Amino acid sequence: MEGKARPVLLFFSFTIFLSLSTTSSSSLRYHTLVLNPLPSQPTLSWPASDSESETLTASNATEIDPEESTLSVQLHHLDALSLNKTPQQLFCLRLHRDASRVVALSSLAASAAAAPGGRVTGGFSSSVISGLAQGSGEYFTRIGVGTPPRYVYMVLDTGSDIVWIQCAPCKKCYSQSDPVFDPRKSRSFAGIPCGSPLCHRLDSPGCNTQKQTCMYQVSYGDGSFTFGDFATETLTFRRTRVGRVALGCGHDNEGLFVGAAGLLGLGRGRLSFPSQTGRRFNRKFSYCLVDRSASSKPSSVVFGDSAISRTARFTPLISNPKLDTFYYVELLGISVGGTRVPGITASLFKLDQTGNGGVIIDSGTSVTRLTRPAYIALRDAFRVGATSLKKAPEFSLFDTCFDLSGQTEVKVPTVVLHFRGADVSLPASNYLIPVDSNGSFCFAFAGTMSGLSIIGNIQQQGFRVVYDLAGSRVGFAPRGCA
């Protein structure tokens, strides 16, 4: 009897599968994607108060008022510091930086998870490895350093903690767009004593025995390193001064560095800018990154209570017991075309007690990376809903691409990320992006063999992403760049 029953069961399963496939493909929800080309190299245009380097003095800057603790500054993409590049060259450079950054973030998380017994704090070494040292960070702003302030380009990075900058005199400094900052010309620069709690928050603190001041040194496997003083300094944001910010002042910086003068760490660790200035900005900030292929408006970052958007939907932050730099959230599932993708469950993204796995929100990673089983399920579901689009060859890390040449707009299946407490519906331009000048568009997700999944900045475009450290939550407000 068993031998006769088995074919019936197989046939029944097969017909159900066909029925589900036919029904799901015919009832999918779609977005309209307006086809914009790859963006050309952006031009830099700053408000006067963001760009004055010599005329702004301590007398006409304003010390921040604790009762009115809000800052807002423009952000620009790193591409603006790359000279004479075609749109496709800029995009390929971005993907190259992205691959290096993902390796760095994943390695840092893995190292923390493997640390015996203890936890790895987000000190200076982790901030450099995960940020500018990999030629990444992606977005930068204009910040005045010192008194009087000297304005320089600083990368903003949620995957890093420490504020740091190249400093003269240089034993070795990489090429940057502005003159190298000279702390000897600043009245507000002050070394941090070796015995200070600030010094001991570094992963690898050192001490200048002659001056009894704190020093840092970070080395890399490829021979890159940065070395210098750990000090406090005044930073100026659009004529508003923020005093006594602890930062690294690097006199010897060798290896994989690029155009900006340094980095403003926006991570979750104790030495990040939001943590250091917690009393003044209530440990709150937000940014909105514009779609550079569809808008000429600048991106922006806001610090303080004004950073909280009324329309934001929030998901709780969760803590990694081994690593405090990253912003971990719970991703419960993903929908394509209005239907939850089978096989994408919360268990694929779980952060375990040893610090393995998890999902982070990161401003410096471009393309969202999902742990491999989740990515394959998402990709396959999207392909089913996009069968009407003409296929194109794979491109770089993208294995799902389409030839949309000659068209001005197309219909694509909707994609929704389901976080705990917050469903984030992505605009079509946040997941189907141009990759060349010939009409090729690719699905802007990728798989990773690492346990760490990363929500990148392409998927964040157009949302005001709100980091409320005081409330231990992250929010997403659609159409937040207005």
Side-chain angles (χ1 to χ4, degrees), residues 41-108:
Q41 184 172 339
T43 56
L44 292 178
S45 58
W46 299 95
S49 58
D50 283 1
S51 57
E52 294 172 86
S53 59
E54 303 300 331
T55 59
L56 181 59
T57 66
S59 61
N60 59 14
T62 304
E63 190 69 37
I64 190 165
D65 182 352
E67 299 301 319
E68 298 181 9
S69 50
T70 296
L71 286 179
S72 176
V73 293
Q74 286 188 6
L75 297 178
H76 286 266
H77 195 270
L78 198 63
D79 284 353
L81 297 182
S82 300
L83 299 177
N84 303 318
K85 296 287 193 295
T86 66
Q88 186 146 350
Q89 287 172 330
L90 289 172
F91 184 69
C92 289
L93 285 171
R94 188 180 186 187
L95 294 182
H96 178 73
R97 293 193 302 266
D98 213 42
S100 296
R101 180 173 179 89
V102 169
V103 169
L105 295 181
S106 300
S107 297
L108 179 57

Side-chain angles (χ1 to χ4, degrees), residues 329-344:
V329 292
E330 288 186 84
L331 183 59
L332 306 180
I334 303 176
S335 291
V336 171
T339 302
R340 287 283 190 119
V341 178
I344 300 185

Side-chain angles (χ1 to χ4, degrees), residues 132-249:
L132 200 62
Q134 297 299 333
S136 191
E138 292 302 299
Y139 288 88
F140 64 90
T141 191
R142 198 91 172 134
I143 297 175
V145 182
T147 306
R150 307 289 175 172
Y151 276 84
V152 294
Y153 296 129
M154 298 279 281
V155 168
L156 279 75
D157 187 2
T158 58
S160 306
D161 284 333
I162 294 300
V163 183
W164 69 276
I165 187 173
Q166 289 202 115
C167 285
C170 289
K171 179 180 178 181
K172 176 78 173 183
C173 283
Y174 61 88
S175 177
Q176 63 178 58
S177 299
D178 298 290
V180 173
F181 176 71
D182 189 344
R184 296 167 297 186
K185 297 180 180 179
S186 171
R187 298 192 299 273
S188 49
F189 184 88
I192 294 173
C194 296
S196 166
L198 277 176
C199 187
H200 291 296
R201 288 181 188 177
L202 292 168
D203 285 349
S204 305
C207 183
N208 182 324
T209 55
Q210 184 178 359
K211 297 180 180 179
Q212 286 298 303
T213 53
C214 188
M215 305 192 76
Y216 70 89
Q217 178 173 340
V218 183
S219 300
Y220 312 97
D222 67 350
S224 303
F225 63 87
T226 179
F227 175 84
D229 301 305
F230 198 51
T232 59
E233 183 56 287
T234 294
L235 301 182
T236 303
F237 299 79
R238 302 182 70 175
R239 296 185 181 274
T240 301
R241 294 202 313 265
V242 182
R244 295 190 57 77
V245 177
L247 52 75
C249 186

Side-chain angles (χ1 to χ4, degrees), residues 186-379:
S186 171
R187 298 192 299 273
S188 49
F189 184 88
I192 294 173
C194 296
S196 166
L198 277 176
C199 187
H200 291 296
R201 288 181 188 177
L202 292 168
D203 285 349
S204 305
C207 183
N208 182 324
T209 55
Q210 184 178 359
K211 297 180 180 179
Q212 286 298 303
T213 53
C214 188
M215 305 192 76
Y216 70 89
Q217 178 173 340
V218 183
S219 300
Y220 312 97
D222 67 350
S224 303
F225 63 87
T226 179
F227 175 84
D229 301 305
F230 198 51
T232 59
E233 183 56 287
T234 294
L235 301 182
T236 303
F237 299 79
R238 302 182 70 175
R239 296 185 181 274
T240 301
R241 294 202 313 265
V242 182
R244 295 190 57 77
V245 177
L247 52 75
C249 186
H251 299 287
D252 194 350
N253 315 281
E254 301 181 32
L256 302 174
F257 298 93
V258 292
L263 183 145
L264 190 77
L266 300 181
R268 207 176 171 189
R270 295 176 300 170
L271 285 173
S272 73
F273 183 75
S275 294
Q276 286 195 55
T277 58
R279 287 181 300 164
R280 284 169 279 192
F281 301 131
N282 294 322
R283 301 181 71 209
K284 297 171 184 174
F285 71 95
S286 66
Y287 56 71
C288 195
L289 309 176
V290 300
D291 179 353
R292 295 178 303 113
S293 65
S295 174
S296 58
K297 295 186 300 183
S299 301
S300 64
V301 61
V302 178
F303 297 93
D305 290 336
S306 297
I308 305 297
S309 172
R310 296 178 188 173
T311 61
R313 295 189 175 184
F314 286 92
T315 184
L317 285 168
I318 58 177
S319 297
N320 184 340
K322 295 291 192 75
L323 182 66
D324 61 3
T325 299
F326 298 158
Y327 292 97
Y328 283 91
V329 292
E330 288 186 84
L331 183 59
L332 306 180
I334 303 176
S335 291
V336 171
T339 302
R340 287 283 190 119
V341 178
I344 300 185
T345 61
S347 61
L348 290 178
F349 308 112
K350 184 176 177 58
L351 175 66
D352 65 28
Q353 288 301 306
T354 65
N356 283 304
V359 178
I360 65 171
I361 308 291
D362 182 45
S363 65
T365 300
S366 291
V367 178
T368 290
R369 286 354 192 249
L370 300 176
T371 186
R372 190 72 183 162
Y375 170 69
I376 291 173
L378 172 64
R379 175 200 67 189

